[in-house]
Amino acid sequence: MTPAQHETLAAGRWQAFSLVEQLANVGSEVERALNWLDKHNPEYSRLAFLRVLELLNLTIADPRHRHRLKELTRLREALLDFFLGDNAFKSSGKSWRSYFYGFAYATALRRSHNRL
C-alpha cells in the first residue's frame, strides 16, 4: 500500500468537509489526472488518479455517508473503469468534468456566501 498523499486529510480533517466539498476535492484531482492524460503524460496521470482513489476512499469511509455507499462505490467503479479499465461505461474526460463541475461550483458559491 502506498503512503497517504493527503496525510492531514486521512488523519481526520476530511470528515470536517461536507460531501459536496469532498467531491469537489475529488473532482480537482480528477481534473489533474485528465489534464495529464491530455498532455500525454500517463505516469503523472496515474499518480493523480491514485490521489483520486485515496480521497474517494476517505469519502466512502466517512460514516456520515453510509446511506450513499452504493452511489459512491459506483462512482469509484466508473472512475476505475475509465482510467484503468476498458471504459465499459463509455465515459469521457468531458463527462467527468461535467459531473464534478457542479460540486466545485456549489463549494465556490458556499465559500463566497460565507464571506459576506
Side-chain angles (χ1 to χ4, degrees):
M1 182 100 190
T2 59
Q5 295 294 308
H6 301 94
E7 290 182 30
T8 60
L9 295 177
R13 201 174 117 225
W14 191 248
Q15 281 72 27
F17 296 143
S18 69
L19 177 62
V20 170
E21 291 170 313
Q22 289 176 351
L23 290 175
N25 280 284
V26 171
S28 292
E29 291 294 350
V30 168
E31 182 67 32
R32 286 182 189 92
L34 291 169
N35 286 342
W36 285 118
L37 275 181
D38 292 344
K39 294 177 183 179
H40 305 287
N41 192 325
E43 179 57 20
Y44 280 20
S45 179
R46 185 186 71 79
L47 293 172
F49 184 64
L50 290 176
R51 294 189 301 270
V52 167
L53 290 177
E54 180 183 12
L55 293 179
L56 193 51
N57 286 337
L58 288 172
T59 301
I60 290 167
D62 189 330
R64 296 174 297 164
H65 310 316
R66 284 187 309 268
H67 62 288
R68 291 193 166 96
L69 284 180
K70 185 176 181 179
E71 179 182 354
L72 292 170
T73 55
R74 180 58 55 101
L75 172 59
R76 181 176 55 195
E77 177 186 6
L79 284 165
L80 283 164
D81 175 59
F82 177 75
F83 281 99
L84 301 177
D86 295 330
N87 199 16
F89 295 116
K90 305 294 184 219
S91 56
S92 65
K94 181 179 179 181
S95 66
W96 286 117
R97 286 179 172 105
S98 178
Y99 177 82
F100 284 107
Y101 175 80
F103 298 110
Y105 187 73
T107 298
L109 280 177
R110 185 177 294 161
R111 287 181 183 160
S112 69
H113 179 70
N114 288 340
R115 290 182 191 153
L116 298 177

